[in-house]
Every structure is written in C-alpha cells, then in structure tokens.
C-alpha cells in the first residue's frame, strides 16, 4: 500500500519565486505523461479511441416456407434416385451425408479463433485484478478497530461480488456452447427433412415440426448469447476493464467449465458442523464490541430494575388485544413512567436488544447457509452422477437402435438435444453449488448471508428499549 504524504512546503519567499517557473514547467511536462499512463484518465476521456462495440450474433434462420416440389415426373424420379444413391454411399445414411458436407464445404473453411495461451483466469486472479483500482478496500497502518472492521466488511462484499460474477460468466459461456450444439442438431434435422420432402418420402407437416424445433433452439441459443454478454460485462465492470482491446483477450482466459464438485462438503478447515454458529459469531467484526458494551450497560443497572422492566413488558403484552377484538394491531403500551425515565435502564435495554437481534441473525444465517450449501451439493452430485450417466446410456442405446434401423435419424438428433439439455442442467446445478459455497465463505469471513428469496429490505425493526423523556 503506498504511503500518501502531505506536500513539502518551502517557506522562503525568494526561493519560492525562483522555483515558481520551474514548477510550472514540471507540471506542464508531467500532465501529458499522466494522461497517457493513467487508466482512469483515459477511460473517462470521451476522445479516447476504442474499437467499435459489435456483439457476435447468431445467424438468422431462413423463413420457413413450403418447399417447391418438382411437377415433372421424370424430375421427381431423378431426385429420388439421386437421394437413395447418396444415402447408399454412406454406411450410416443421411446423417453421414450432412457431416461430410459440413467437413467439405464448397468454399474455404473459416479459420478458428486462436485459443489463449495465457494462464486461465480463475476467481482468485479476477479478485486481484479488481483490487488494483480500489484503494478504499485496503487496510493500512494507523487504522483503529472500527475503521478496520468497516474496510473488512466492504472487502468481503466486493470479493463475493467478484466471485459471483466470475461463476456467472463461466456458466454463461458453457451454456452458450451447449445451446449452439443443440441448434446445430436442429439445423441437421431440418436439412435432412428438406431432402426427404424433395425425395417424396416426407410430408410438409413433418418438416414443419422440425422447423418449429429449430426455431425454438434458435431462441434458446439467442437467450444464451445475451446471458453470456451480460455476464461478461458484469465481470468486466468489477475488474475495471474498460478497453475492448484488452477485455476480449481477458475473457478468453476464462476456463471452459466451473471447478469440479468436491466429494464431500465441509464447513471449513478445522471446523465441524457443531462449531459453525460459533465460527460465524466470531467472524462478525462488531459483534464482540456489542457484547462488551451490553455487559457494561447491564452492569450499571440493578437486577431489580431489569426485573421490573421485564414485568412491565409482560404486562403490556398481556393486555394486547387479540384477534376479534377492536384494534388487534395496536402496539403494546407501557405506562410505568419511572421506568421510562430511567436512562441507565434505557441504555441497558437498548444494548441488550441490539445484541440479541445481531446474535440471532448471525446464528440463523449460519444454519440457513450451511443447510443450503449441503442441499446444493447433493443436487449437483445427483445431476452429475445419476442424471448425466442415464442420459449418456440412453443416447448410446438410441445410437445402437439407429444403427440397427430400428430408430430414425431424427430420433437420434432428438436424443442428442435431450442429452445436451441434461448437460446444461448439470452445469447449472454446479453453478448453484459454487454460488452457495461463495455465500458460505462470505458469511465465515464476516459478511452477511443473502439466501434464495431473501428480501433486500434492511433487517431490524423498532427497538424495544424504553424512550426517555
């Protein structure tokens, strides 16, 4: 962390007069260099040249319309004979024709995008990159405990945001590849269907069903592409990457898939499930201070006054109207003025109430986060170890039946699309696990837990402490 020192002032007026022009020259010479090296200055300058923003788009599908069938009987017979001859030339029939034509296009094949040779951009590296221009998230010498606690909570929140964005970006890129493969299978089915219609072996209705499936897969691929773009941009914002020329190579360093699932999920190094609540309480940066303050305030009040306050609360709650009576939602009322005017009692009750609310929330967060992490791990393992192998076996069985001419090419393509869908579902389940793991690590580091369905409204309510007069 760089040390910022106050500028050195020269008190001699004559020396200041003589050095004035030199300082002006130095400033004039340093300012252009600063503008050329500071990323912030170049990012905020509208005149900074950047490449044109052009998101990759999926090819637009051709409009579905009935094929023009040959009206001449000789032409129709020739098309039928040519189709059968081409099928006979390949051992696996129509699907091998499509694959051969894809591998032998009429024009020159497009060059593949070169793969990045740089190290993979993992979540830890992404967090390091994001911290380069966030000096407020660095602790430094001279900070008191409250300041350090504030920096720690801010850093934990930022680290969770970066890890979440990294997980979403990797997941979105993986889903786009699977949806593109599913669209390719649908394109193959439509291309084969068109040939079947031209050969007179299919009706237009069968072809239209394949085109409907192709359109649905195209929409799914388009949504996956948009999700990938949004996830990439969210990650780039957190990394402080504004230049498109450096952003694209950085995104190419993202791994192909998320990390593998652990065999078992554990609370943490040296922690047992029975110790998770204590660990979460200890990690909170201000809870120990609240505990000390509550002890100090309660010690200033006699046990008799605390018991009197508890009796007054019980009496007020006992007279609260119940359902069916007038004004069932009226707040309970305490009429003991000597208790309400006891400021020491007020401070003690406030401190005790705040401490109880904070401790209750932390313990509840620990139980919920740990249960959610276990549930997501079990779901992801089931999708990976049960559903995935079942889909792979079913696809192999379909392939065997296809080779035995017991199922058609379109059955094989439909099964391939189904397997791709199961792969995407398994990767989404893995994503949910790593998001739950990130939330658990955030809680252990002193942050708050935002579980599924958690309201964004601030926690806490009205204090139960007496109001002084």
């Amino acid at each position: 962390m760089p040390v910022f020192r106050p500028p050195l002032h020269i008190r001699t007026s004559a020396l200041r007069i003589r050095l004035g022009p030199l300082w002006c020259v130095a400033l004039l010479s340093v300012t252009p260099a600063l503008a050329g090296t500071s990323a912030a200055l170049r990012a905020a300058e509208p005149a900074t040249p950047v490449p044109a923003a052009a998101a990759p788009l999926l090819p637009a599908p051709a409009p579905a319309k009935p094929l023009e069938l040959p009206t001449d009987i000789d032409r129709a017979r020739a098309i039928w004979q040519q189709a059968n001859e081409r099928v006979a030339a390949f051992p696996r029939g129509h699907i091998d024709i499509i694959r051969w034509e894809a591998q032998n296009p009429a024009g020159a094949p497009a060059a593949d995008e070169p793969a990045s040779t740089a190290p993979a951009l993992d979540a830890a590296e992404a967090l390091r990159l994001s911290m380069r221009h966030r000096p407020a998230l660095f602790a430094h010498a001279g900070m008191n405990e409250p300041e350090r606690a504030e920096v720690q909570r801010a850093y934990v929140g930022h680290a969770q945001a970066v890890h979440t964005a990294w997980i979403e970006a990797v997941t979105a890129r993986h889903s786009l590849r699977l949806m593109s493969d599913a669209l390719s299978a649908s394109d193959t089915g439509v291309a084969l269907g068109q040939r079947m219609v031209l050969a007179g072996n299919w009706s237009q209705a069968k072809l239209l069903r394949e085109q409907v499936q192709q359109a649905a897969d195209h929409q799914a691929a388009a949504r996956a592409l948009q999700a990938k773009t949004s996830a990439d941009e969210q990650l780039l914002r957190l990394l402080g990457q504004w230049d498109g020329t450096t952003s694209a190579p950085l995104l190419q360093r993202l791994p192909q898939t998320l990390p593998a699932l652990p065999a078992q999920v554990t609370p943490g190094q040296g922690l047992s499930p029975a110790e998770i609540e204590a660990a979460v309480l200890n990690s909170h940066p201000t809870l120990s201070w609240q505990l000390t303050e509550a002890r100090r305030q309660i010690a200033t009040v006699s046990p008799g006054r605390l018991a009197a306050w508890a009796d007054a609360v019980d009496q007020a709650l006992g007279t609260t109207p119940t359902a069916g009576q007038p004004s069932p939602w009226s707040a309970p009322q305490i009429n003991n003025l000597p208790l309400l005017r006891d400021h020491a009692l007020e401070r003690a009750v406030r401190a005790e109430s705040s401490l109880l609310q904070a401790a209750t929330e932390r313990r509840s967060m620990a139980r919920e986060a740990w249960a959610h992490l276990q549930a997501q791990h079990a779901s992801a393992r089931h999708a990976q170890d049960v559903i995935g192998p079942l889909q792979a076996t079913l696809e192999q069985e379909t392939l065997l039946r296809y080779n035995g001419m017991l199922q058609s090419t379109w059955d094989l393509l439909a099964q391939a699309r189904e397997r791709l869908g199961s792969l995407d579902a398994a990767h989404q389940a893995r994503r949910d696990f790593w998001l739950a793991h990130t939330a658990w690590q955030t809680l252990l580091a002193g942050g708050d837990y935002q579980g599924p369905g958690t309201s964004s409204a601030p926690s806490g309510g009205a204090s139960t402490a007496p109001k002084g007069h």
Side-chain angles (χ1 to χ4, degrees):
M1 181 71 182
V3 178
F4 297 96
R5 301 182 183 276
L8 179 62
H9 298 284
I10 302 176
R11 297 183 178 180
T12 305
S13 58
L15 185 59
R16 183 166 57 247
I17 293 175
R18 288 197 299 269
L19 293 179
L22 296 179
W23 281 108
C24 294
V25 173
L27 288 175
L28 290 176
S29 60
V30 169
T31 301
L34 183 62
T37 58
S38 173
L41 296 180
R42 288 185 285 117
E45 176 56 54
T48 301
V50 294
L57 299 177
L58 293 173
K65 59 182 179 180
L67 293 177
E68 296 183 2
L69 301 179
T71 57
D72 185 7
I73 187 63
D74 294 333
R75 176 60 179 163
R77 184 181 294 109
I79 293 176
W80 181 83
Q81 291 177 348
Q82 182 182 10
N84 282 273
E85 290 174 357
R86 297 188 65 185
V87 170
F90 293 89
R92 294 180 60 188
H94 288 95
I95 196 167
D96 279 350
I97 297 177
I98 296 297
R99 290 177 177 174
W100 182 87
E101 290 180 347
Q103 295 172 1
N104 298 272
D112 294 336
E113 184 179 359
S116 176
T117 57
L121 179 64
D122 57 7
E125 178 64 19
L127 180 58
R128 284 192 291 270
L129 289 176
S130 69
M131 290 293 294
R132 291 186 177 276
H133 301 289
R134 284 181 168 82
L137 299 182
F138 284 81
H140 56 80
M143 280 186 168
N144 55 33
E145 290 301 321
E147 291 173 339
R148 285 185 175 273
E150 183 179 357
V151 171
Q152 173 64 17
R153 289 181 65 86
Y155 173 77
V156 169
H158 173 72
Q160 182 183 18
V162 172
H163 278 76
T164 300
W166 181 87
I167 293 171
E168 296 288 3
V170 175
T171 303
R173 298 172 81 85
H174 187 269
S175 296
L176 177 59
R177 287 192 295 271
L178 294 178
M179 294 302 101
S180 299
D181 290 343
L183 178 59
S184 177
S186 297
D187 292 342
T188 301
V190 170
L192 289 175
Q194 290 174 341
R195 296 183 180 185
M196 293 290 286
V197 171
L198 286 176
N201 296 328
W202 257 29
S203 64
Q204 290 283 354
K206 288 187 176 181
L207 176 59
L208 288 175
R209 280 193 290 269
E210 292 298 321
Q211 290 174 330
V212 168
Q213 181 63 50
Q214 180 191 36
D217 290 339
H218 188 278
Q219 290 292 324
R223 289 191 296 268
L225 177 60
Q226 180 58 41
K228 170 190 170 296
T229 302
S230 299
D232 287 347
E233 293 300 329
Q234 173 64 17
L235 180 60
L236 291 175
R237 285 194 290 269
L238 290 173
L239 298 185
Q241 298 293 323
W242 60 273
D243 190 355
T245 57
T246 58
S247 299
L250 188 64
L251 293 175
Q252 291 176 7
R253 293 171 51 193
L254 287 171
Q256 298 292 319
T257 60
L258 292 173
L261 294 172
Q264 294 181 348
V265 59
T266 58
Q269 186 176 5
L271 281 180
S272 66
E275 299 172 335
I276 59 173
E277 292 188 25
V280 171
L281 289 176
N282 289 330
S283 67
H284 196 276
T286 61
L287 191 61
S288 61
W289 305 339
Q290 288 181 267
L291 177 60
T292 302
E293 179 65 15
R295 285 173 175 168
R296 188 178 68 84
Q297 294 295 343
I298 292 175
T300 62
V301 182
S302 65
R305 298 295 286 175
L306 292 175
W309 169 253
D311 292 339
V313 170
D314 292 339
Q315 182 179 2
L317 294 177
T319 59
T320 302
T322 59
Q325 297 180 358
S327 302
W329 300 106
S330 299
Q333 181 174 340
I334 297 177
N335 297 318
N336 192 331
L337 292 181
L339 284 178
L340 298 176
R341 292 171 178 171
D342 190 337
H343 298 294
L345 176 62
E346 175 187 359
R347 290 190 296 269
V349 171
R350 281 181 178 274
E352 184 182 20
S353 174
S354 299
L355 178 63
L356 178 60
Q357 181 178 355
T360 301
E361 288 182 351
R362 297 295 292 181
R363 289 181 179 273
S364 176
M365 288 178 182
R367 295 190 298 268
E368 182 185 0
W370 175 240
H372 182 62
L373 179 62
Q374 289 178 303
Q376 293 299 333
H377 181 263
S379 176
R381 294 288 300 188
H382 183 268
Q384 173 183 288
D385 300 340
V386 178
I387 300 179
L390 285 176
Q391 286 290 346
T393 303
L394 183 57
E395 185 180 26
Q396 290 297 323
E397 182 65 23
T398 304
L399 181 59
L400 291 176
R401 294 177 62 83
Y402 167 78
N403 291 334
M405 297 185 180
L406 299 176
Q407 285 188 285
S408 68
T409 302
W410 293 269
D411 295 331
L412 185 61
L413 292 174
Q415 183 57 44
R417 287 194 299 267
E418 187 175 347
R419 185 182 65 85
L420 291 171
S422 69
L423 289 177
D424 184 60
H427 202 261
Q428 293 293 334
R430 187 185 296 186
R431 158 195 172 270
D432 293 340
F433 165 75
W434 285 115
L435 288 178
H437 184 268
T438 299
W440 174 248
Q441 294 298 322
T442 300
L443 186 61
L444 288 180
D448 292 332
Y449 175 71
Q450 296 292 333
T454 302
S455 173
S456 59
S459 61
S463 173
T464 59
K467 301 293 183 180
H469 294 272

